[in-house]
Amino acid sequence: MERVVVVGGSPLRGTVRASGAKNAALAILCASMLCPGRVVIENVPRIKDIEVMLELLAGLGAQVQVHTDGKVSVEPPSRIRGEASYNLVKQLRASNLLLGPLVGRFRSVRLALPGGCNIGARPMDLHFKGLQALGATLDVRRGYIEGRAGILRGTRIYLDLPSVGATENIMMAAVLARGQTVIENAAREPEVVDLANFLNAMGARVRGAGTDVIKVDGVENLVSEVHYAVIPDRIEAGTYMVAGVATRGEVTVTGVIPRHLEAVTAKLREAGAEVVEAEDSVTVRGTGPLGPIDVRTMPYPGFPTDMQSQIMALLTTVPGTSLIVENIFENRFQVAYELQRMGARVRVEGRVAVVEGVERLQGTSVRATDLRAAAALVVAGLAAEGRTEIHNAHYLARGYEDVVAKFQALGGEVRTDP
Ligand code: UD1
């Protein structure tokens, strides 16, 4: 999927179902390497990032099977074979989540320094600090992280920032450590909670996930057969909600946990959209008058950085001046320059973007720079007049299951360009 063509101008209408959460599934797949037997995971999205992760696990010696209906089974090896190679790791930032479970269980890991979307510096100091506090030795040599450990011992770890990845890595490493690990200023994202629930289903003792203090009491053994279903993808769901409003349409997303979408829901309501929450679905209507809003990305439960590009696409068409402050990743405004090509009036100054809504965006050729930028360009294309050609559209397949079919189901004219 190198190029996607969108013909905009008509409101999206209809219902789509959210897929399993990419970020939860990636962490859970990494955690499955802790299992002494077999793990069966349901609701795993069929996306490129998951494919790469499964290849990585297989490369380390795991038996991996992809069943129908989003079910995946993983049976880790009793000893690690090979290493997490640069070729795969460079495609997937989340491969860094193998560090915790591999050090925790196998006491040794060799992992190429991760790649992934180019949205900022994305250092790993907090991952290192946490794992080192548990007793692991980590070195970086010639682009590879080399980790070794004797017996890991639980301790108190304070994170300078509530990093999702560092919280997850430390949690996974602590599961088999001796004694209690306390993570302070832990990330509270729903995906962290989902990982904790999975670890507990495997026999771990993790408490407090979803708050800023997580306690892990080390256990000696984990159970050998686990079945687990991944939570719905709040970012994918949020993207369809925003697309519904941007096209002044009406979209229902089913199979969601509305509470996880609260920040997005609140901001859409503030902008004048109607959002109706049911038990496991949300409906948005963008048919009434819309007005400008201020958006600040923050760790959960704040507004997610992964929704910032999409909301920017929407705000370029909302009359008045909106303000977006990006507090998590410094490089996340690259999409602004592509939106400008479509006639958007966006000024970027450091971590702040000032968006002055225009009446209509104009379709043209644009280039996606990362996964969420790609999604934002589809949203913009659907709201625009005429034909938008999105280059580098392969980013979409990294994180959105059946994205073309789902937009088409809502009446969006979106197709891949062979
Ligand atoms: C995860 C998500 C990503 C999301 C992000 C923030 C996965 C696979 N990816 O990424 O989609 O955008 O959370 O919600 O779950 N930081 C440090 N040192 C570290 C680690 C992080 O300074 O050791 C900084 C980062 O530069 C960033 C902030 O902490 O500014 C948050 O990053 P983090 O929460 O770690 O994001 P990821 O886990 O990489």
Side-chain angles (χ1 to χ4, degrees):
M1 184 159 57
E2 251 331 290
R3 227 170 345 156
V4 161
V5 172
V6 181
V7 181
S10 32
L12 294 184
R13 283 190 210 291
T15 300
V16 276
R17 191 173 175 80
S19 297
K22 167 177 90 69
N23 288 347
L26 287 169
I28 287 168
L29 284 171
C30 291
S32 69
M33 290 302 273
L34 289 166
C35 181
R38 192 171 77 117
V39 169
V40 181
I41 312 166
E42 289 174 33
N43 207 27
V44 178
R46 278 169 296 135
I47 52 174
K48 183 74 185 160
D49 274 12
I50 294 288
E51 260 174 50
V52 175
M53 180 57 84
L54 293 176
E55 265 188 73
L56 265 166
L57 299 185
L60 294 167
Q63 303 275 348
V64 174
Q65 266 184 299
V66 179
H67 307 272
T68 48
D69 298 341
K71 216 188 263 183
V72 168
S73 64
V74 177
E75 201 173 329
S78 48
R79 283 189 53 203
I80 288 295
R81 286 204 305 274
E83 59 185 23
S85 76
Y86 177 68
N87 262 345
L88 292 171
V89 166
K90 72 174 181 200
Q91 300 175 44
L92 181 62
R93 168 84 196 167
S95 52
N96 65 5
L97 296 176
L98 283 165
L99 205 53
L102 295 186
V103 165
R105 176 173 178 195
F106 299 100
R107 314 274 179 223
S108 152
V109 53
R110 193 170 136 81
L111 177 77
L113 275 170
C117 280
N118 177 28
I119 55 176
R122 303 191 90 166
M124 285 190 63
D125 54 315
L126 300 173
H127 301 241
F128 275 46
K129 185 177 139 183
L131 298 176
Q132 283 163 341
L134 292 173
T137 310
L138 299 172
D139 295 299
V140 178
R141 285 203 192 97
R142 297 173 196 238
Y144 276 76
I145 305 169
E146 294 178 357
R148 272 164 294 117
I151 289 167
L152 296 181
R153 287 180 204 282
T155 183
R156 191 168 279 269
I157 297 161
Y158 173 81
L159 295 179
D160 302 325
L161 289 163
S163 155
V164 173
T167 303
E168 293 177 337
N169 251 333
I170 296 166
M171 230 162 64
M172 291 187 277
V175 161
L176 294 170
R178 276 210 193 139
Q180 188 179 68
T181 302
V182 181
I183 310 171
E184 292 174 339
N185 200 24
R188 292 180 285 166
E189 268 67 3
E191 294 75 20
V192 173
V193 179
D194 208 31
L195 173 63
N197 288 340
F198 170 73
L199 291 170
N200 287 340
M202 207 161 40
R205 293 177 58 199
V206 183
R207 281 173 298 142
T211 75
D212 59 0
V213 180
I214 297 178
K215 293 184 177 160
V216 185
D217 286 296
V219 294
E220 277 185 23
N221 298 302
L222 295 169
V223 299
S224 55
E225 176 92 24
V226 190
H227 287 249
Y228 193 81
V230 175
I231 54 167
D233 197 312
R234 64 195 168 101
I235 305 300
E236 185 209 20
T239 302
Y240 290 111
M241 288 165 72
V242 167
V245 179
T247 59
R248 310 309 193 255
E250 177 172 337
V251 167
T252 298
V253 190
T254 58
V256 299
I257 300 173
R259 192 169 34 90
H260 293 172
L261 288 157
E262 249 159 32
V264 174
T265 297
K267 282 294 150 184
L268 290 179
R269 281 185 178 145
E270 207 180 307
E274 200 183 323
V275 186
V276 181
E277 297 175 357
E279 201 183 329
D280 64 353
S281 70
V282 282
T283 299
V284 294
R285 272 183 215 105
T287 43
L290 299 179
I293 51 171
D294 292 353
V295 177
R296 288 177 172 73
T297 64
M298 298 291 268
Y300 190 84
F303 191 89
T305 177
D306 285 352
M307 280 300 301
Q308 187 261 103
S309 302
Q310 301 90 308
I311 203 105
M312 178 186 281
L314 160 65
L315 293 176
T316 61
T317 70
V318 170
T321 305
S322 293
L323 192 79
I324 303 177
V325 184
E326 172 57 58
N327 290 308
I328 313 291
F329 292 117
E330 65 278 11
N331 257 2
R332 264 230 157 131
F333 281 144
Q334 295 171 74
V335 75
Y337 306 106
E338 301 303 312
L339 292 170
Q340 282 173 353
R341 298 178 50 74
M342 300 176 73
R345 295 178 61 191
V346 188
R347 273 180 298 134
V348 173
E349 185 74 48
R351 288 182 177 267
V352 178
V354 180
V355 184
E356 279 173 60
V358 296
E359 193 145 317
R360 239 346 174 13
L361 296 175
Q362 312 293 326
T364 183
S365 291
V366 288
R367 189 175 61 89
T369 47
D370 64 67
L371 166 59
R372 304 305 169 185
L377 291 173
V378 178
V379 171
L382 287 165
E385 215 167 57
R387 186 177 188 273
T388 300
E389 212 172 83
I390 304 170
H391 296 252
N392 273 358
H394 61 268
Y395 279 115
L396 272 180
R398 284 191 49 187
Y400 289 87
E401 182 173 72
D402 291 339
V403 59
V404 170
K406 284 191 183 184
F407 275 116
Q408 285 174 350
L410 295 173
E413 248 191 275
V414 178
R415 58 184 159 77
T416 51
D417 200 19

